[in-house]
Amino acid sequence: MYFSKNIKLLHHIMKVEQIYTGCLAQGAYYIVSGNEAVIIDPLREIKPYLDRLDKDQVTLKYIFETHFHADFVSGHLDLSKKTGASIVYGPTAQPEFEAIIAEDYQIFDIGNIKIKVLHTPGHTMESTTYLLIDENGVENAIFTGDTLFLGDVGRPDLAQKATNLTQEDLAGILYDSLQSKIMPLDDSITVYPAHGAGSACGKNMQKETVDILGNQKRTNYALNQPDKESFIKEVLDGLTAPPKYFGMNVAMNKGGYESLDTVMDKGLTAIPAEDFETYAEETGALILDTRSAAEFHKGFIPNSINIGLKGDFAPWVGTLIVDVKHPLLLVVDEGTEEEAIMRLSRVGFDNVQGYLKGGFEAWKNSGKETDDVKRISATEFAELFTENSTVIDVRKISEYTAEHIDNACNRPLDLISDWVKTIDDSEHFFLHCAGGYRSMIAASILNSHGIRNFTEIDGGFSAIKKTEKFPTTNFACQSKTL
């Protein structure tokens, strides 16, 4: 979903629009001056940008990329082909397609404004901040990519393999970039980052998506460290492993990818229920069911994996499905197939072979085998629970340590490929997350591994707490094992 915020008009000449996509916590930027425009860090689907250009009757001159993104596939290539605009990267970038590799401090003219290149390596070595200078020559805003977030900075552990540098080395480089290029700028400058809270590119981002630099200088922990050594320690502290799809997205952004039009055409193939199973077997496709947990648990195609479209769909697909090239077949609510394919393409999953025509109802009506997950309410859980019950909590470690049911076992969903091998199916267990979205994903994966002796709890920990029948604790409990 796209929405615009913080539209800034100066003398009715310059417009800066943040186009924020909540499911990826990602901000792209559309800037107009005179009859020219630029776009910074566009998403994969380019129609919203083309529509804006057409409405404003302006020409797209440049597509600025702050770095080779890891958490999404950029729309730079398709957008350049459709508009003729040049793609611009900062110093040291080595894309495998035609692009302008800018020099540090290079100036680009757009209508009556200028954009100045500030090379700010550290998150990645090509990472670049773009400084907007308005028609009056005033330094107005910075587009920081993943160099500086609101409340945080970009994680410095993603570019290690590509650079042969340690995460400590990269954190030190990031410190130098911030001190030399960002901190000297005026406090009044607006900060436009590439991501907000919820992105895996940082660990401590604020929910706001726009701020002034002076406020970040005062409140951002990373900008308030006394020295480089402290900065490195604090920035690296608490980092979890990045999602597995990040490296594959970097490769696509650097090396190129199929046109989104081609991806959509292939994915929008409606496959009848009679042929769906055979098609899955012949292609080796994973069946991805994007319906809600409330619908999925009542009935689904055996061995299908549930990741609900109404949630953090694309990031969880990228976290749990190892290979972006793996063929996928979709089970969707009618009318959502295009949205599902589009959101998959944003994180590089371009190999959707088609979707089940008529949805799960068509499968059920054809008389084919179905499966289900036993789901109970938190109230029912309270009635069934005893001190000998085994409970698996699939929330993040930070959520678990903040508060959890006494003696519950923490098995984070993102690590399920490891811990699923340790489950003893002879002992019944209860399964929950915070609200029921992640635990149903886990339930579907457990089912696909033949593990069925469990009960999933609707509403998760939020609902469990409301029953006020469970002792909880706020430290990691090691006494229960599986």
Side-chain angles (χ1 to χ4, degrees):
M1 177 180 179
Y2 282 94
F3 60 90
S4 304
K5 58 170 72 172
N6 293 287
I7 297 175
K8 181 180 287 188
L9 294 171
L10 299 179
H11 310 302
H12 305 287
I13 295 174
M14 182 180 79
K15 175 170 73 172
V16 178
E17 183 179 359
Q18 181 186 72
I19 307 171
Y20 199 79
T21 305
C23 63
L24 287 177
Q26 191 269 346
Y29 297 92
Y30 172 69
I31 307 168
V32 175
S33 177
N35 63 356
E36 294 182 327
V38 300
I39 293 174
I40 300 176
D41 291 340
L43 274 188
R44 186 79 179 272
E45 62 270 38
I46 63 172
K47 187 177 184 301
Y49 313 125
L50 297 177
D51 289 346
R52 282 166 170 79
L53 294 166
D54 184 62
K55 179 183 177 182
D56 292 339
Q57 291 294 292
V58 293
T59 299
L60 186 65
K61 189 172 184 180
Y62 299 113
I63 302 158
F64 287 102
E65 290 285 313
T66 56
H67 63 296
F68 294 121
H69 305 284
D71 60 311
F72 70 95
V73 178
S74 176
H76 55 321
L77 292 175
D78 281 352
L79 193 55
S80 179
K81 288 175 184 176
K82 290 283 178 72
T83 65
S86 298
I87 301 169
V88 180
Y89 282 95
T92 76
Q94 295 180 319
E96 297 171 21
F97 46 82
E98 185 176 349
I100 297 171
I101 308 304
E103 297 179 2
D104 200 11
Y105 301 112
Q106 185 173 341
I107 300 287
F108 290 84
D109 294 308
I110 302 96
N112 301 308
I113 66 171
K114 301 179 186 297
I115 287 185
K116 186 176 184 179
V117 174
L118 302 178
H119 187 209
T120 49
H123 173 65
T124 65
M125 291 307 292
E126 78 282 353
S127 285
T128 296
T129 295
Y130 296 106
L131 172 64
L132 188 153
I133 302 170
D134 70 23
E135 60 272 22
N136 297 314
V138 176
E139 295 181 347
N140 180 274
I142 47 175
F143 303 87
T144 55
D146 288 18
T147 294
L148 175 64
F149 297 128
L150 305 188
D152 203 358
V153 292
R155 57 189 301 164
D157 61 329
L158 300 183
Q160 295 176 78
K161 291 182 180 178
T163 59
N164 292 320
L165 296 171
T166 67
Q167 60 182 9
E168 288 78 13
D169 293 333
L170 287 161
I173 292 169
L174 179 58
Y175 175 84
D176 292 338
S177 293
L178 292 165
Q179 293 299 317
S180 64
K181 299 290 181 66
I182 303 297
M183 293 298 283
L185 296 173
D186 193 85
D187 286 2
S188 65
I189 282 177
T190 302
V191 180
Y192 291 110
H195 294 291
S199 169
C201 294
K203 62 180 181 179
N204 194 45
M205 287 181 253
Q206 297 170 357
K207 63 180 181 179
E208 295 80 14
T209 61
V210 178
D211 199 4
I212 60 169
L213 183 57
N215 191 48
Q216 286 303 302
K217 289 178 182 179
R218 290 188 295 273
T219 63
N220 190 319
Y221 81 96
L223 301 183
N224 281 280
Q225 297 304 313
D227 50 42
K228 182 187 289 191
E229 183 179 353
S230 297
F231 175 90
I232 293 171
K233 180 179 182 297
E234 290 300 318
V235 167
L236 295 180
D237 182 54
L239 279 183
T240 57
K244 296 174 184 176
Y245 74 98
F246 271 25
M248 289 175 275
N249 276 197
V250 169
M252 293 175 72
N253 284 319
K254 187 175 183 179
Y257 48 76
E258 267 192 314
S259 165
L260 182 59
D261 292 339
T262 302
V263 173
M264 295 300 295
D265 286 345
K266 179 176 64 176
L268 288 171
T269 301
I271 302 171
E274 294 74 20
D275 303 325
F276 197 72
E277 189 172 17
T278 300
Y279 204 95
E281 291 173 354
E282 290 178 350
T283 61
L286 183 150
I287 299 174
L288 181 61
D289 192 321
T290 69
R291 294 176 299 150
S292 68
E295 289 300 315
F296 179 83
H297 90 92
K298 292 185 288 189
F300 54 88
I301 298 173
N303 296 317
S304 59
I305 302 301
N306 174 237
I307 303 179
L309 192 60
K310 294 180 180 178
D312 291 333
F313 174 67
W316 276 117
V317 169
T319 298
L320 298 171
I321 302 176
V322 175
D323 185 3
V324 296
K325 296 180 180 179
H326 194 92
L328 301 174
L329 288 171
L330 304 183
V331 178
V332 298
D333 288 319
E334 189 173 359
T336 65
E337 52 273 358
E338 188 169 344
E339 180 188 355
I341 297 165
M342 182 73 73
R343 288 174 67 179
L344 287 166
S345 74
R346 288 176 182 166
V347 291
F349 286 82
D350 288 355
N351 200 10
V352 178
Q353 300 290 308
Y355 65 94
L356 177 60
K357 185 178 181 180
F360 182 69
E361 283 301 309
W363 176 273
K364 190 167 61 173
N365 293 338
S366 71
K368 290 184 175 292
E369 182 184 357
T370 65
D371 204 345
D372 60 72
V373 167
K374 185 177 181 182
R375 173 175 250 204
I376 60 173
S377 69
T379 302
E380 291 173 300
F381 173 48
E383 294 170 353
L384 294 171
F385 180 83
T386 72
E387 62 180 15
N388 294 319
S389 295
T390 298
V391 179
I392 296 181
D393 181 339
V394 301
R395 295 176 300 160
K396 294 186 291 187
I397 294 173
S398 59
E399 295 172 276
Y400 174 79
T401 54
E403 187 177 16
H404 60 268
I405 298 170
D406 273 354
N407 294 324
C409 307
N410 184 220
R411 299 291 183 269
L413 176 58
D414 60 331
L415 302 177
I416 193 169
S417 61
D418 296 323
W419 62 259
V420 70
K421 303 167 188 174
T422 70
I423 297 295
D424 178 5
D425 194 40
S426 66
E427 180 184 0
H428 175 270
F429 58 92
F430 294 98
L431 184 72
H432 79 83
C433 62
Y437 181 84
R438 286 174 287 177
S439 55
M440 192 55 70
I441 297 175
S444 69
I445 294 172
L446 291 169
N447 251 24
S448 72
H449 282 77
I451 298 168
R452 307 181 57 84
N453 192 15
F454 65 87
T455 305
E456 189 263 354
I457 303 165
D458 188 11
F461 193 68
S462 299
I464 291 168
K465 279 190 68 176
K466 291 177 182 177
T467 67
E468 298 182 348
K469 292 187 177 181
F470 295 92
T472 63
T473 187
N474 60 356
F475 58 88
C477 177
Q478 303 295 331
S479 63
K480 181 76 88 170
T481 58
L482 293 178

